Amino acid sequence: MSNSSKPNLWVRYTSKSPVFVTVFSVVLGLVVGALVIIATSPVILHSWSLVFSSWGGIFHALKVTLDNVGAAYRSIFTGSIVDPPQFWHALTTGKDWTVALTPISETLTYTAPLLIASIGVGIAFQAGMFNIGANGQAVMGGIVGTAAGSMLHLPTVVHVPLTLLAGILGGVIAGIIPGLLKAFTGAHEVIITLMLNYVIAFFLIYTLLSTALQQPGQQNDVSRYVDPTAQLSPLFGAHSGLRVNWGIIIAGIVVLFAWWFLERSTLGFDFRVTGASPKTAQASGINAKVVIVLVFLISGGLAGLAGVVQVSSTTHFLDGGFLVGSAGIGFTAITVSLLGRNNPIGIIWGSLLFAALNVGGRVMQASTSIPLDLATIIQSVIVLFVATPVLVKEIFRLRVEHAEAVQLSVKGWS
Amino acid sequence: MSISEIASTTISKVKRPVGRSRAIGTLTLLLGAFTTFIFGLGSNPASKSILTFNPTNLTGVIPPHVGELSVPSKATCLILGILIIAVGIEILVRRPAEGLMVRFGGSAVLFVIGLLIWTVRVPGPAPFGVINMTAVLVGSSPLVMVLVFGALSGVMCERAGVVNIAIEGQFIGGAFFGSMIASTTHNFILAAFMGALIGALLGLLLSFLALRYLSDQIIVGVVIVTMLASLSSYLNVQVLSPYPQYNTGDLAPKLAIPLLAKIPILGPVFFNQNGFFYLMIVLVVVISFALFKTRYGLHVRAVGEHPKAAETVGIDVIKIRYFNVVVGGAIAGIGGVAFVASYGQFQPGCTSGLGYIALAALIFGKWRPSGAVVASIIFGVSVYLANNLQTYNVPVRSAILQTFPYLITIGVVAGLIGRVRAPAADGQPYKRD
C-alpha cells in the first residue's frame, strides 16, 4: 500500500522543514519568470488575442504559451546540466563526450567562484553580520591577484598558490576596513560595505588605467594577462575542451573548511553565538570586537579568493566590466547564501542552482533570444520568497506560524 | 523601564555630540589649508583665470549678458583659502549648535570655486583658460535634483523606522516606466504619476514584506534593486529595442519663471528648470513642515524612535509605516522620472548607483530634509565635476574624484567626521504584543 509513504510525505509537507519553503520558492521564482516571458513575448500575446476568433483559439494559445515558455526553460536545463539526446549519443557511440559534458562543465566552472564567495557571505551571516561588500572584496581580490599573476614570473607550483594568496590578501584588505570601522566606531557594516563597493569599482578603473596593470599598448581599461603559470588549469587537461578547472576543487576545500570552522572550531562557535545572540556572546566573555574584525577578515578573504579564482580560471585578465552587473558574483553570493540558509551544504545547492540559471540563461539567450536577465529576475524572486517564509507557507497552505519572527540578519542601522 | 528613565536616556541621546562640530571644523580647516597651499601657493603669480557666467545652450529665456571675470589665480585662491580657514576656526572655537551643515556647505562651495579657478589658470595645464560657472551649476542641478528626491524618500521611510535601501530600485522603475509614458503620451505629468505609481508599488512590496511578514528590510531592499535592475534590462531588450517609439528620450520642457529667470546666474539655476525641479523644492518644504511642525510628523517621529511608546498613546504604528514607505517610494519613483526627463533616453544602468548616493546624502544630512538638500548639493556637484573636469586636464583622475561621495559617507557613518544618529527604531521590525 502507498499508505506508508504518503503520510510520511504529508507529515514532512506540514512540518516546519525549511526545505519545502526553499523548493516552493524556486517553483514560485520559475512561475514568475514564466509570467515575465508571457507578458513580453509578441508571439504568445498575439496567440491570446485570437482566443475568441476561432473555436480552437484557446487551445492554440495555450499550446503557443507552453511551447515558448517550455523552449526557454528547456534551453536553460539543456544548456546548464545535460542535453539528453547528446548525452545518449555519446553514451551509445562513445564519441562527442565533450559536447555532452560541456553544459555541466560550464556550470561547475561558474559555480566555483560563486560558491567560494557565498561561503564568505554565509559565514558573516552566521555571525549576524551582513557583508554586502563581497563584490567589492572580490574585485579587490581580482586586482591584487592579477597583479601577482601578471607581474611575477614563477614556476606553476609556486605561482598559482601565490596568486591565490594575493587574491585572498586583496579581499582581506577590502574586508578589514568595514570590520575595523564597525568594531571600533560602531558604524553600520551595510552602509560601509555598500559605499566601499563603489570606491573599489572606481579603484579598479584607476588601476586598469595605470601603467603597472594596464596591458602594454592599450588605451582602454584592460589589464595585463595573468601568466599561464598562474592560471588554474582545466581538470581534464586543455585538450579535453572542458573548461571545468581546479577552481571547483578549491571551492570544495573552502566548503570543507567552512563546515569544520562553523561546526567544530571554537572561533566558529563564537561566531555563531554572536550571530544568535550578541548579549549571550557578551555574557560568555566573547570579545565582540575581535569577532567582528575576524568575521570581516575571513568573509573578505573568501570573497577575494572568489575574485582571483574568477580571473585565474575564466577571464585571465581584468577589464572595466569585471564583476559588473549580472556578472557580479559578490551580489549573487548574498542571494545564494540566503537560499542555502547560510550553511555550507545548503550553499552548495544554492550556488549550483544559481550558476546553472546563469549558464543556462546564456544558452537560452542564444537559442530563444530571451535576455539573460531573466535568470537574474528569477533569482531575485526566489530570494524574495526565501526571505519571507511565512508568505510561502501561506501560499502553499503549509503550517503557518505567525509568531515566527523571520530575522535572517541584522536589524537596522543603529 | 520607568517613564523617567526613558526620558533621561532619551535626553542623553539627544544631547548634542561635541565630536561632530570638532570633526566638521577640522575638515573645514583641511579644505582651507588645501585651497591655500595647493591651489593658492601652487599657482604662478602671473596666472589668470577667467570665469564666465553666461549660460550656454540655453533655450527660451536668456538672462542679460554678464561680463567675464578675470581674476589673478594665486591671490583669489589664497583669499578663498583664508576665508575657509576662518570658518573652520569659527566652528572649532564657537561650536555653533545650529547651521553646521550650512557652514560646511558654504566652505565646500568656496573650495570648489578655488578648485575651478586653479584648474583653468593660464598659463596652466588646461586647454582653455575659461570656466563657465553657470554651466557648472546648471549642469549639476539635475543630479542634485534626483539625489534630493531619493534622499527625501529615505527621510520619509527611515523617520518612520523602515530602512529603504531600495531607492535605487525605485529610481530604475520610475525611470523605465516614466520614460515609456513620456515617450508615448509626451506628457510629463502623466509620466510623473506613472513613476509615483511604480515607486509606490515597490514601497508597498517592501512594507508588505517588512511589516506583515517581518522580513529583513535590508535584504528585501537589496533584492528589489536587483530585481528592478534585471527587469528593466530585460524589458529594454524585449520591448524598448524593437519599439524605439517607447523610448524617444524626450526631455521635459524648461519652465522659465517670468522675471526671476532673467537674474544672472541664479536665474538659469533656480528659475529656468523643468517642472520636476520645482516639484522637488515644494516637496522639501512640505516634508520639512509635515515632519517637524505637524501632529502627523510628531507621530511619524515617535514611531521611528520608540514604536512601543507610540502604540501606547494610541498611534497606529503599522499604518504610519505603511503610509510613509508607500509615499516615500512614490517620491523616489518620481525621482526616477525626473532623471530621464532631464537626461533623455532610458538605458539599463543609467541611474548608475545614484540611489545609493541618495542614501548617503540622507545619512550625511542627519535624516533631515534640509540636511539632505545640502548633502545632495555637495554630492551632486562633486559627481558632476568628477565626470566633467577631465576636459581641463586636471591632474587628478576622475576615478579618484568619483569616490568622494562614498568616502565622505563612510567617514560620516564611522564618526570620523562627526557622528550621526539614525532614528532609534530604524530598520527594526515591529510586532504588536
Side-chain angles (χ1 to χ4, degrees):
Chain A
M1 295 291 278
S2 61
N3 222 12
S4 56
S5 69
K6 200 181 173 188
N8 261 337
L9 194 64
W10 179 247
V11 167
R12 290 195 60 185
Y13 183 74
T14 51
S15 75
K16 285 189 280 182
S17 165
V19 174
F20 275 97
V21 171
T22 312
V23 171
F24 285 132
S25 299
V26 174
V27 172
L28 287 170
L30 292 174
V31 169
V32 172
L35 291 177
V36 171
I37 297 177
I38 293 170
T40 56
S41 160
V43 186
I44 298 179
L45 292 179
H46 178 71
S47 74
W48 281 99
S49 71
L50 299 176
V51 159
F52 296 111
S53 57
S54 74
W55 283 110
I58 180 113
F59 298 108
H60 176 70
L62 278 174
K63 183 178 178 304
V64 171
T65 309
L66 279 178
D67 282 354
N68 279 278
V69 174
Y73 283 164
R74 197 180 312 119
S75 60
I76 290 186
F77 180 84
T78 57
S80 64
I81 298 167
V82 69
D83 189 357
Q86 275 170 2
F87 192 76
W88 183 245
H89 171 74
L91 210 58
T92 48
T93 61
K95 284 185 292 186
D96 301 327
W97 274 106
T98 304
V99 180
L101 291 178
T102 295
I104 192 78
S105 147
E106 286 300 299
T107 299
L108 290 176
T109 307
Y110 194 95
T111 302
L114 183 60
L115 177 52
I116 298 170
S118 309
I119 292 280
V121 176
I123 288 179
F125 267 134
Q126 290 245 357
M129 275 162 251
F130 193 169
N131 181 12
I132 202 173
N135 210 56
Q137 291 145 14
V139 170
M140 204 66 178
I143 295 173
V144 181
T146 306
S150 63
M151 290 166 173
L152 303 174
H153 306 290
L154 300 161
T156 312
V157 205
V158 197
H159 206 175
V160 168
L162 209 63
T163 305
L164 296 180
L165 278 178
I168 295 175
L169 180 71
V172 166
I173 294 170
I176 202 131
I177 297 171
L180 287 173
L181 289 177
K182 183 180 173 64
F184 292 101
T185 71
H188 198 287
E189 76 273 17
V190 166
I191 303 180
I192 303 279
T193 48
L194 203 55
M195 300 300 151
L196 270 181
N197 277 337
Y198 283 95
V199 174
I200 293 171
F202 289 119
F203 181 68
L204 171 70
I205 304 295
Y206 178 81
T207 53
L208 289 181
L209 296 174
S210 305
T211 31
L213 211 60
Q214 194 175 32
Q215 207 176 105
Q218 265 284 358
Q219 294 296 314
N220 299 329
D221 45 355
V222 177
S223 81
R224 294 164 190 267
Y225 278 88
V226 293
D227 283 7
T229 50
Q231 295 176 4
L232 293 168
S233 51
L235 269 183
F236 304 108
H239 58 275
S240 69
L242 298 174
R243 286 207 303 169
V244 60
N245 56 69
W246 284 90
I248 196 72
I249 306 288
I250 295 171
I253 295 169
V254 166
V255 171
L256 284 178
F257 160 78
W259 177 84
W260 169 85
F261 178 78
L262 288 169
E263 300 294 329
R264 293 285 181 271
S265 76
T266 324
L267 187 60
F269 181 75
D270 288 357
F271 276 27
R272 288 191 295 138
V273 173
T274 310
S277 160
K279 284 212 175 91
T280 313
Q282 198 188 5
S284 57
I286 295 171
N287 187 335
K289 288 184 178 164
V290 172
V291 166
I292 291 172
V293 175
L294 287 178
V295 164
F296 274 94
L297 192 145
I298 293 174
S299 188
L302 288 174
L305 180 61
V308 74
V309 164
Q310 173 74 6
V311 175
S312 170
S313 71
T314 310
T315 63
H316 300 154
F317 68 96
L318 296 176
D319 61 12
F322 183 62
L323 305 190
V324 171
S326 63
I329 51 170
F331 288 115
T332 316
I334 298 167
T335 54
V336 167
S337 180
L338 292 170
L339 185 66
R341 294 182 182 275
N342 307 328
N343 80 61
I345 308 302
I347 289 175
I348 294 181
W349 294 111
S351 54
L352 280 170
L353 175 69
F354 278 20
L357 276 173
N358 267 309
V359 170
R362 239 157 246 159
V363 175
M364 172 191 73
Q365 181 167 335
S367 64
T368 66
S369 78
I370 292 172
L372 169 62
D373 299 297
L374 184 74
T376 322
I377 298 173
I378 295 174
Q379 287 169 357
S380 42
V381 173
I382 292 175
V383 175
L384 214 51
F385 282 114
V386 166
T388 319
V390 182
L391 178 61
V392 177
K393 289 181 177 180
E394 282 185 3
I395 293 175
F396 287 98
R397 302 279 184 270
L398 292 167
R399 177 176 294 172
V400 176
E401 289 180 36
H402 267 295
E404 184 182 1
V406 189
Q407 277 297 299
L408 282 161
S409 71
V410 288
K411 299 172 189 160
W413 296 140
S414 32
Chain B
M1 216 192 290
S2 73
I3 297 289
S4 61
E5 267 178 274
I6 294 177
S8 66
T9 50
T10 312
I11 289 169
S12 70
K13 275 183 193 165
V14 171
K15 209 188 277 174
R16 185 165 48 90
V18 187
R20 187 173 167 85
S21 63
R22 183 163 48 208
I24 295 260
T26 315
L27 192 74
T28 312
L29 272 186
L30 278 177
L31 284 184
F34 205 86
T35 315
T36 314
F37 291 106
I38 308 289
F39 301 156
L41 299 181
S43 42
N44 189 333
S47 285
K48 288 208 176 296
S49 311
I50 299 173
L51 307 179
T52 62
F53 303 94
N54 298 304
T56 48
N57 311 325
L58 260 198
T59 48
V61 186
I62 296 165
H65 192 88
V66 188
E68 295 175 350
L69 187 62
S70 174
V71 294
S73 317
K74 184 166 192 156
T76 318
C77 286
L78 283 177
I79 293 169
L80 289 172
I82 289 163
L83 262 177
I84 301 174
I85 290 176
V87 174
I89 290 172
E90 194 258 357
I91 294 175
L92 284 179
V93 174
R94 283 195 46 223
R95 298 270 159 93
E98 292 296 318
L100 257 186
M101 287 293 284
V102 173
R103 283 178 174 79
F104 180 69
S107 308
V109 169
L110 295 183
F111 172 78
V112 169
I113 295 175
L115 168 73
L116 294 177
I117 287 177
W118 175 73
T119 301
V120 299
R121 66 193 189 276
V122 179
F128 19 85
V130 178
I131 188 131
N132 191 323
M133 301 300 277
T134 312
V136 169
L137 294 176
V138 171
S140 33
S141 63
L143 279 172
V144 174
M145 167 179 71
V146 174
L147 289 179
V148 170
F149 273 114
L152 284 181
S153 161
V155 168
M156 287 298 282
C157 300
E158 302 209 0
R159 277 288 176 175
V162 178
V163 168
N164 181 10
I165 215 166
I167 297 171
E168 174 76 0
Q170 290 153 346
F171 274 173
I172 298 172
F176 182 91
F177 291 101
S179 132
M180 224 166 151
I181 295 294
S183 304
T184 44
T185 66
H186 306 286
N187 184 334
F188 279 92
I189 296 177
L190 280 183
F193 273 110
M194 187 65 189
L197 180 69
I198 296 295
L201 284 176
L202 292 174
L204 191 64
L205 177 65
L206 170 66
S207 46
F208 180 67
L209 297 181
L211 301 177
R212 185 178 154 91
Y213 294 105
L214 310 182
S215 300
D216 189 285
Q217 297 165 6
I218 295 176
I219 289 172
V220 173
V222 169
V223 174
I224 288 179
V225 176
T226 319
M227 194 154 70
L228 264 291
S230 46
L231 189 65
S232 69
S233 170
Y234 176 92
L235 292 176
N236 181 57
V237 175
Q238 291 290 78
V239 181
L240 297 190
S241 303
Y243 306 102
Q245 68 268 30
Y246 292 150
N247 195 13
T248 54
D250 285 11
L251 297 181
K254 300 251 169 159
L255 309 171
I257 295 180
L259 295 178
L260 291 177
K262 293 231 174 200
I263 305 172
I265 308 174
L266 293 183
V269 179
F270 291 105
F271 305 112
N272 189 16
Q273 294 279 8
N274 58 33
F276 292 97
F277 192 87
Y278 306 125
L279 176 64
M280 168 205 79
I281 292 173
V282 171
L283 276 178
V284 171
V285 174
V286 168
I287 291 178
S288 305
F289 182 81
L291 274 183
F292 297 104
K293 302 279 183 232
T294 66
R295 203 182 148 78
Y296 152 79
L298 190 65
H299 286 185
V300 169
R301 286 179 292 136
V303 166
E305 295 289 344
H306 205 312
K308 271 227 163 66
E311 187 87 54
T312 38
V313 296
I315 301 171
D316 191 338
V317 174
I318 301 294
K319 201 168 125 192
I320 290 231
R321 287 194 170 172
Y322 263 113
F323 176 80
N324 271 39
V325 176
V326 169
V327 172
I331 294 173
I334 298 175
V337 186
F339 182 88
V340 281
S342 311
Y343 286 104
Q345 278 190 331
F346 175 87
Q347 258 140 19
C350 61
T351 54
S352 61
L354 276 182
Y356 293 119
I357 303 188
L359 190 73
L362 157 79
I363 294 164
F364 191 40
K366 293 198 290 184
W367 286 266
R368 284 171 165 275
S370 53
V373 170
V374 176
S376 300
I377 293 173
I378 295 175
F379 290 174
V381 172
S382 69
V383 169
Y384 174 82
L385 290 179
N387 291 336
N388 291 279
L389 270 191
Q390 289 306 292
T391 45
Y392 291 97
N393 286 342
V394 179
V396 189
R397 297 255 205 87
S398 84
I400 298 294
L401 287 173
Q402 272 163 325
T403 60
F404 179 69
Y406 307 105
L407 287 178
I408 202 169
T409 307
I410 292 175
V412 169
V413 175
L416 305 177
I417 314 171
R419 189 175 285 293
V420 290
R421 197 182 66 84
D426 205 5
Q428 293 181 6
Y430 180 72
K431 208 154 53 66
R432 279 196 195 105
D433 295 324

